[in-house]
Amino acid sequence: MKIWTLQKKRVGDWMAALRAAGKEVLAPCEADGLLRFRPIDDPSAIAVRPGPCPFPFKEWLFPPHQVLFSYQFEGGKVNLREEEVLVNDQVGLFLRPCDAAAIKILDTVFLSDPPDGFYQLRRSHLTIVTLGCRQAVPSCFCPAVGLSPTSLEGSDLFLWEEDDRFLVYGVSEKGDRLVQVSPDLFEPGEGPEPDQLPSPLPFMERKEPLTNVGQKLQGLFESDLWQEVGRTCLGCGICAYLCPTCHCFDIVDESDAYSGIRCRNWDCCAFPLFTLHASGHNPRPDQPSRYRQRVLHKFAYFLQTFQQNMCVGCGRCSLFCPVGMDIYQIVLQLTGRCLV
Amino acid sequence: MAAVRTDSERTEKGWEPKLIAFVCNWCTYAGADAAGTRRMLYSPCVRIIRFPCTGRIDPHFIVRAFEQGADGVLVSGCHPGDCHYVSGNLLARRRFAIFKALMDFLGLEPERLSFSWVSATEAGKWVEVVNSRVEALRKLGPARVPWGTLSGPPPSLNGRSVAPMPQEPLSQVKPDDYQAVESQLRQLAEGLLATGQVKAVLGYGKGSLQQATPIVITNATEANQLIFNEHCVQNLTVYLTSPSFRSLRPLGVVVKACDSKSLVGLLQEDQVKREDFRAIAVSCPGVKVNGRWADKCLSCDQRIGPIADHIVGSSEPKSTAGADPRDWEIQTIEKWAPAERWNFWMNQFSRCIRCYACRAVCPLCYCQPCIADKNRPQWIPTSPHLKGNVSWNLFRALHLAGRCIGCDECTRVCPVGIRLDLINRRLSLEVAKRFGYEPGKDPSVPPPLATYRPNDPGEFIL
Amino acid sequence: MKVRNDYLPDLVRIVAMTDETVDLRTLRLVFEDPSLRDRFSFLPGQFGQYSVFGVGEAVFTIASSPTRKGYIECSFKLMGKVTTALRDLEVGDLIGFRGPYGNGFPVETLKGRDLLIIGGGVGMAPLKSLIEFCLDNRRDFGEVTILNGARTVADLLYKKEMEEWGQQEGVRVIQTVDPGGETPEWRGKVGLIPNVLNELAPKPDGKFVVVCGPPIMIKFSLQVLDRLGFSPDRVITTMENKMKCGLGKCGRCNIGPVYVCKDGPVFTAADLARLPRDY
């Protein structure tokens, strides 16, 4: 792995060089009290806080609203028009290791056969620059899902803050090419292997493994425990929409007398409509059964299909849940390891 | 968005205003007919849609008209006292007063939305109203709706830094104020469970991440899990209508003074039976959101709300009540020009991701299914684009007008920080001003938009 | 830039429609693109996404047999938003179709076997495809017994087809209606399908059974078949979950780790026994 150093004060120059090379830089910044990844020019607008950015990077690969195609009605005929997707090369800057790992999970869904064209195009234009975590926040539980504040999963470049500079680890060729855009800003450097960096890992409290609970959870499918843990779920979509790995969507038409679109929008398994049949039958008739689906999909079913958990331990769902449902604690409770 | 005419198409040369008139069959339609038979000339820019009664005209029709490209909407019906169905127009008058207040607050230019009483004999008035409306629209130009793109950055409330709203009123609150309540609460809950007066107690417990989280206690021995402190912010009455709690009736529910008001709403609207719950009213000094006293607490003068079966702690009114910071922010917004307000709110709504957390935490959003989940007809586009988001947020604001008790849970949980509290509060103030009604007080009176008084103010009606 | 777009439907024209019952209609559809008419192939039991432009998409199985080229058929019951809009269309109108999706019936496994085909209500639609496929490849299959039921006589579908099938050699058609649904002229059986099945008590004898219908009928029919000694891997049924993408992405049709749209909709009773009861 190549290692460089980049002076913090030169990040702006690097961004300018990236822009000059036709790339759009997306970094967490604050607008009107809301932290989100946004295209930026000015490095002073970057707002990196400990822990992951509240709004995940997902929206740039899998937008909340995607027009799939449009159509016009013309005298008994329908003219379909394919949707053109314009994408610049994009650089996702200062993602956290959990967010980068989440993109690999989205990849397994959207790039597996048949690949999703919209995702594929955006993904192929994206380079991911991750910033290792020098500090964890109480909601973090990446060690529990086999990741860490310095894991390289999904990253193209990995940065580590050290005084007034970044150690820059070249993880992929795609990442190296970003360095090559302005090689004079990067000094060849030396550093420990990323897993030897002084990360907060030893001090993190939430690290009871959740990676091998699939069978146990599935065995509980009929259990009354779900009523107990899922009863207070209010059925909003915050957990799914702020989750960097949740990817369920709805497909709807919107039209007037002349034309229309078919689009796909984010959807969430906590909504009663999600599985409601036209006949009125609903396989998941209550909130606890919907919450069960969420937990099992993440820690059991996805594991069976794709050999990995669908959770990166970012803790957003638990932190932003209106009623404080903490998926880490709930899985531990279900698997009998700990009671609150 | 492909489905909607683009703004450039709408502003092409030869643009003529498009005025949609929703009229009642018995008066205004007949009046318009009379104008026709008398060969009176008036603007052809009006499109008339006939209804049995103005009472049938839902504000949602108006939202839909703007969404589909109307430049202005006129609602017209019988004069008070003339309604074919006795009181349809009087109910409509209340509804439209609130709708107009909402649209004014959001910054829709006031001339775009008009109301008039035109009787069957008032052909002349009809002509005059239509012509004057069309002329006003012509001056304004094409509507910014259907919620098109906006230029320039939106104005910012920035209120937090300059708000002249000191946080002192509650600085006297001490942890002891909660601790005494907490220990009494545990004793009470234990007793209620032990004697079988309730099947379960729904209260606050310590969360693993958040400082307080809703918990359900079914055994007297678990009563010591209940907590009460400044972090107990959730409004637990939302669970009373949840099917998952049906088997726990009668349920003891821990309520703060504000939460107790939503019990009034639920009783008023027949959503809960009085015997299905027991309100355990905890004496509340105030609660905090993100480390700051909640806005609602700063002006709150009660420790105990209107519905209280068991009172835990002091029921003395609070002497600390100050001004409401939400009101200051509302006043700030109202000082802006309509275009600025519109810009502000469209920017707010554009962020909505349609997680429906606002609906989920709201005790009074109990409809099953919610209108947003109905697809025949699809009143609210489900897509999280501006059109759908505006639709959703307007509908919800309207449905809560006169019902919202201001617990601000919707705003607390909104992951994109939309200031729903200001909209709800603004409509509450309007309801109070116009109809002298305050929600969450008396379960025996009808909700304000389900009733009328013959002399309700109608100054906005032409 | 244009991208691979599996959501883009092909246009199909309604060339004929048959009202099977008061709320159930069969459409015969022909691809607008002439090259697709011959090229389009599928297996009995596979399904498609049918779209009414401006309204949305709905999933129906392909009710015609792949052996009958040049057209496809679907039968749908008036239920929700899309089916209501679909019913408003007329012969000559255009709709969208994408597919085929799903695994389809294991016709290779069924070859050389006697078949017991049990269908209730609109569950007959995928079975019609299978039956026609068997009849068009008559020598590949053994005896075919069809047990068809509906709530009332008026709700029985494919009346004409049933009559034709019943006249073929090696095909036996048994029809039943729910108690109270019979008319004075009704000569078939009266009783719920699981009960009629119990009464008929067919012997397993290496037969394969295919069951389609409402969830409750499937549930009890599987119990009866189990009692009669049919091995669960020889009992085949179809699952019907809400679907959107049809491509195994949207996460809506999952039953445990299985995507009904991709791994189903056809499952054996043995498969189902391994899945969580989330349907």
Side-chain angles (χ1 to χ4, degrees):
Chain A
M1 200 176 341
K2 284 192 202 128
I3 304 177
W4 299 272
T5 59
L6 169 67
Q7 294 301 312
K8 278 187 181 169
K9 59 179 186 235
R10 306 301 299 274
V11 168
D13 297 334
W14 186 34
M15 283 169 57
L18 293 171
R19 270 202 316 284
K23 297 178 199 296
E24 193 176 28
V25 178
L26 306 164
C29 52
E30 188 171 345
D32 226 355
L34 186 60
L35 266 176
R36 226 164 160 167
F37 283 90
R38 283 288 171 264
I40 55 164
D41 297 337
D42 175 10
S44 68
I46 298 177
V48 179
R49 310 269 158 84
C53 173
F55 223 86
F57 191 82
K58 166 171 89 169
E59 57 179 326
W60 290 98
L61 288 168
F62 171 48
H65 171 64
Q66 167 75 59
V67 177
L68 298 170
F69 61 90
S70 57
Y71 43 85
Q72 273 81 39
F73 301 113
E74 248 180 58
K77 278 191 67 180
V78 191
N79 298 319
L80 303 187
R81 198 170 61 200
E82 282 187 62
E83 184 68 8
E84 307 226 349
V85 185
L86 289 171
V87 182
N88 300 330
D89 272 347
Q90 291 181 325
V91 177
L93 190 60
F94 298 144
L95 277 76
R96 291 297 185 184
C98 52
D99 285 335
I103 291 175
K104 284 204 76 174
I105 292 176
L106 291 178
D107 286 351
T108 57
V109 176
F110 286 113
L111 300 182
S112 63
D113 191 51
D116 181 81
F118 297 95
Y119 183 92
Q120 201 173 31
L121 180 70
R122 291 197 174 93
R123 183 69 178 95
S124 65
H125 282 78
L126 174 69
T127 312
I128 299 165
V129 183
T130 307
L131 178 62
C133 300
R134 272 198 159 269
Q135 217 184 320
V137 294
S139 48
C140 293
F141 60 96
C142 57
V145 292
L147 295 167
S148 83
T150 55
S151 44
L152 304 178
E153 278 306 279
S155 302
D156 295 309
L157 281 181
F158 177 84
L159 310 188
W160 183 256
E161 249 180 308
E162 216 169 52
D163 304 322
D164 55 355
R165 59 178 197 166
F166 290 113
L167 285 180
V168 181
Y169 292 80
V171 187
S172 76
E173 241 174 75
K174 223 176 177 180
D176 293 356
R177 282 201 291 274
L178 286 194
V179 172
Q180 296 316 318
V181 168
S182 46
D184 45 325
L185 294 175
F186 293 82
E187 303 261 330
E190 274 178 24
E193 284 297 305
D195 57 5
Q196 299 300 314
L197 287 167
S199 90
L201 185 61
F203 314 106
M204 291 175 74
E205 282 172 11
R206 290 147 66 91
K207 53 174 87 161
E208 194 67 31
L210 304 183
T211 39
N212 49 1
V213 293
Q215 272 201 322
K216 190 149 192 183
L217 287 176
Q218 266 186 286
L220 291 171
F221 188 87
E222 312 273 351
S223 161
D224 290 339
L225 272 175
W226 296 106
Q227 270 297 332
E228 217 168 284
V229 301
R231 181 177 271 147
T232 50
C233 175
L234 290 169
C236 78
I238 288 185
C239 49
Y241 289 0
L242 294 190
C243 174
T245 68
C246 272
H247 54 267
C248 290
F249 57 85
D250 189 13
I251 299 179
V252 292
D253 277 40
E254 284 177 5
S255 67
D256 58 22
Y258 313 100
S259 61
I261 53 169
R262 182 160 300 157
C263 51
R264 76 169 173 211
N265 301 327
W266 284 358
D267 207 347
C268 167
C269 58
F271 295 154
L273 242 58
F274 189 70
T275 47
L276 180 70
H277 294 194
S279 66
H281 171 66
N282 196 341
R284 298 184 201 127
D286 54 10
Q287 223 48 54
S289 62
R290 290 169 209 140
Y291 190 72
R292 176 181 62 196
Q293 167 66 16
R294 179 173 168 76
V295 173
L296 288 178
H297 193 198
K298 293 211 167 286
F299 296 102
Y301 304 152
F302 200 80
L303 189 68
Q304 271 178 276
T305 321
F306 295 112
Q307 291 72 52
Q308 57 183 326
N309 280 305
M310 204 181 96
C311 175
V312 292
C314 71
R316 288 182 180 93
C317 55
S318 311
L319 195 58
F320 294 100
C321 175
V323 292
M325 292 178 71
D326 175 8
I327 199 163
Y328 172 78
Q329 201 64 40
I330 285 172
V331 173
L332 291 191
Q333 185 185 342
L334 287 163
T335 49
R337 273 181 285 178
C338 171
L339 287 171
V340 192
Chain B
M1 226 222 58
V4 171
R5 312 277 144 267
T6 61
D7 275 2
S8 65
E9 275 167 29
R10 295 170 42 74
T11 50
E12 273 168 19
K13 262 184 254 157
W15 169 82
E16 284 287 315
K18 211 176 274 169
L19 174 67
I20 306 296
F22 294 126
V23 305
C24 107
N25 175 55
W26 304 98
C27 292
T28 305
Y29 191 79
D33 205 28
T37 51
R38 287 189 219 162
R39 302 269 188 270
M40 297 172 87
L41 285 179
Y42 62 95
S43 172
C45 296
V46 62
R47 272 81 159 166
I48 298 176
I49 300 174
R50 180 163 58 151
F51 285 77
C53 176
T54 41
R56 172 66 187 94
I57 302 170
D58 196 303
H60 304 151
F61 301 158
I62 303 175
V63 174
R64 182 61 79 88
F66 280 121
E67 231 174 46
Q68 304 266 323
D71 296 305
V73 172
L74 167 67
V75 177
S76 187
C78 310
H79 287 272
D82 289 356
C83 180
H84 188 77
Y85 309 98
V86 185
S87 59
N89 56 353
L90 300 178
L91 285 160
R93 178 166 63 187
R94 283 202 160 194
R95 212 182 293 146
F96 290 129
I98 296 306
F99 182 58
K100 179 124 180 89
L102 171 63
M103 295 315 285
D104 285 349
F105 184 56
L106 298 185
L108 183 80
E109 288 140 321
E111 294 86 349
R112 297 207 185 270
L113 180 59
S114 329
F115 303 89
S116 63
W117 301 139
V118 173
S119 78
T121 58
E122 293 177 317
K125 182 174 179 188
W126 171 248
V127 168
E128 203 179 291
V129 166
V130 169
N131 284 340
S132 73
R133 292 304 89 197
V134 169
E135 275 327 296
L137 293 179
R138 205 183 293 283
K139 276 203 199 100
L140 287 174
R144 283 191 303 273
V145 285
W147 340 110
T149 47
L150 297 157
S151 54
S156 166
L157 262 180
N158 256 347
R160 297 312 179 175
S161 51
V162 292
M165 209 43 67
Q167 292 265 323
E168 280 92 77
L170 294 175
S171 61
Q172 307 298 318
V173 175
K174 301 276 178 302
D176 294 353
D177 299 346
Y178 300 93
Q179 272 160 21
V181 173
E182 184 179 275
S183 53
Q184 280 184 52
L185 170 66
R186 289 175 180 178
Q187 276 176 22
L188 175 72
E190 195 180 340
L192 289 175
L193 286 165
T195 54
Q197 292 182 68
V198 296
K199 215 180 250 176
V201 172
L202 166 63
Y204 304 96
K206 184 156 173 21
S208 55
L209 275 178
Q210 298 177 8
Q211 312 245 30
T213 186
I215 56 166
V216 177
I217 305 279
T218 48
N219 197 320
T221 57
E222 298 165 331
N224 59 359
Q225 290 177 26
L226 290 169
I227 61 166
F228 186 65
N229 57 38
E230 62 188 26
H231 304 294
C232 296
V233 62
Q234 292 104 347
N235 182 345
L236 303 179
T237 62
V238 65
Y239 291 112
L240 285 182
T241 48
S242 158
S244 304
F245 280 74
R246 233 168 254 160
S247 59
L248 302 177
R249 287 170 184 168
L251 177 72
V253 55
V254 175
V255 290
K256 305 186 291 293
C258 46
D259 309 336
S260 173
K261 292 187 195 167
S262 38
L263 290 175
V264 175
L266 291 171
L267 288 168
Q268 215 173 0
E269 296 170 21
D270 275 339
Q271 294 306 312
V272 289
K273 289 207 185 78
R274 193 62 189 83
E275 63 271 25
D276 285 342
F277 71 90
R278 297 196 72 95
I280 304 174
V282 283
S283 178
C284 174
V287 288
K288 286 184 172 174
V289 176
N290 295 330
R292 299 164 37 96
W293 292 109
D295 286 356
K296 62 179 174 184
C297 300
L298 298 181
S299 60
C300 172
D301 57 1
Q302 294 299 322
R303 286 177 197 277
I304 298 294
I307 307 264
D309 296 310
H310 307 277
I311 292 177
V312 184
S314 154
S315 52
E316 289 283 299
K318 286 198 278 189
S319 58
T320 52
D324 194 315
R326 294 172 295 188
D327 294 350
W328 183 85
E329 288 176 315
I330 288 170
Q331 284 159 20
T332 307
I333 291 175
E334 288 186 321
K335 281 193 199 112
W336 298 340
E340 283 181 299
R341 295 206 287 273
W342 191 255
N343 199 354
F344 173 80
W345 285 113
M346 290 306 113
N347 179 61
Q348 289 265 307
F349 295 153
S350 70
R351 289 148 45 153
C352 177
I353 50 171
R354 308 295 281 283
C355 66
Y356 298 113
C358 45
R359 171 180 79 184
V361 294
C362 180
L364 290 160
C365 266
Y366 49 71
C367 296
Q368 289 295 338
C370 169
I371 188 167
D373 291 342
K374 287 189 175 174
N375 65 12
R376 281 183 294 165
Q378 188 87 50
W379 278 111
I380 301 174
T382 55
S383 298
H385 50 41
L386 189 54
K387 185 174 148 187
N389 294 350
V390 171
S391 221
W392 161 244
N393 286 287
L394 287 187
F395 273 51
R396 184 159 181 279
L398 280 170
H399 286 190
L400 283 175
R403 302 170 62 235
C404 170
I405 52 94
C407 72
D408 288 359
E409 278 288 273
C410 48
T411 311
R412 175 182 71 85
V413 302
C414 179
V416 292
I418 301 175
R419 293 302 302 275
L420 300 166
D421 56 337
L422 299 184
I423 298 177
N424 293 336
R425 174 96 183 145
R426 177 64 189 80
L427 294 187
S428 279
L429 294 172
E430 189 71 22
V431 166
K433 187 182 88 186
R434 288 191 167 266
F435 317 130
Y437 175 90
E438 201 184 313
K441 271 203 153 158
D442 181 357
S444 65
V445 301
L449 294 188
T451 184
Y452 64 91
R453 279 196 214 117
N455 57 349
D456 281 330
E459 82 294 342
F460 62 98
I461 301 171
L462 298 171
Chain C
M1 199 183 296
K2 277 191 185 154
V3 297
R4 174 192 170 119
N5 193 341
D6 290 311
Y7 301 102
L8 202 67
D10 292 305
L11 293 178
V12 289
R13 195 175 289 278
I14 303 172
V15 295
M17 55 170 76
T18 315
D19 279 327
E20 306 287 350
T21 73
V22 70
D23 60 357
L24 220 147
R25 181 174 283 177
T26 300
L27 300 181
R28 181 168 288 195
L29 306 163
V30 173
F31 284 101
E32 277 291 273
D33 176 356
S35 72
L36 269 176
R37 289 175 201 165
D38 294 324
R39 198 149 42 89
F40 183 75
S41 68
F42 62 98
L43 285 171
Q46 284 193 296
F47 64 90
Q49 281 277 12
Y50 300 74
S51 41
V52 181
F53 294 103
V55 181
E57 287 186 311
V59 176
F60 314 119
T61 191
I62 304 172
S64 55
S65 163
T67 48
R68 305 186 181 181
K69 290 273 181 202
Y71 66 88
I72 53 173
E73 284 179 348
C74 69
S75 296
F76 65 94
K77 191 167 175 170
L78 185 63
M79 263 306 172
K81 183 176 164 185
V82 176
T83 47
T84 306
L86 203 50
R87 252 192 103 88
D88 288 340
L89 298 181
E90 287 163 20
V91 170
D93 285 340
L94 283 173
I95 64 170
F97 174 87
R98 56 187 180 95
Y101 296 127
N103 53 1
F105 291 116
V107 284
E108 289 308 315
T109 317
L110 299 183
K111 278 187 181 164
R113 304 288 183 167
D114 288 347
L115 300 182
L116 171 56
I117 294 176
I118 306 172
V122 74
M124 270 317 286
L127 299 178
K128 172 172 172 285
S129 176
L130 179 66
I131 293 166
E132 288 182 346
F133 183 85
C134 294
L135 298 183
D136 291 348
N137 298 290
R138 194 67 199 90
R139 275 170 303 173
D140 289 345
F141 297 92
E143 297 246 315
V144 177
T145 310
I146 301 166
L147 172 56
N148 166 228
R151 270 190 214 138
T152 70
V153 175
D155 287 321
L156 286 163
L157 58 160
Y158 305 137
K159 293 189 182 77
K160 204 177 86 213
E161 285 87 347
M162 289 285 174
E163 206 164 301
E164 283 169 18
W165 297 338
Q167 285 158 8
Q168 303 234 9
E169 210 184 296
V171 180
R172 189 173 158 219
V173 175
I174 304 155
Q175 287 189 294
T176 179
V177 295
D178 292 357
E182 68 272 27
T183 55
E185 300 81 39
W186 178 243
R187 294 288 162 268
K189 293 188 177 291
V190 175
L192 298 169
I193 285 184
N195 299 345
V196 175
L197 185 62
N198 200 29
E199 177 192 317
L200 290 172
K203 299 229 156 37
D205 292 342
K207 270 195 204 78
F208 269 80
V209 190
V210 188
V211 192
C212 287
I216 192 83
M217 180 209 109
I218 294 184
K219 184 180 166 191
F220 287 104
S221 299
L222 294 193
Q223 287 176 8
V224 173
L225 289 165
D226 188 49
R227 262 204 309 279
L228 292 173
F230 284 86
S231 151
D233 51 8
R234 294 192 168 191
V235 176
I236 295 163
T237 184
T238 63
M239 281 287 110
E240 205 183 75
N241 263 21
K242 190 163 173 178
M243 291 173 197
K244 286 286 178 178
C245 70
L247 304 163
K249 309 276 184 218
C250 79
R252 195 169 300 260
C253 64
N254 301 43
I255 301 176
V258 157
Y259 285 85
V260 174
C261 69
K262 243 180 127 174
D263 308 316
V266 176
F267 296 96
T268 64
D271 293 334
L272 281 191
R274 284 190 288 269
L275 290 178
R277 287 209 46 86
D278 206 15
Y279 45 86

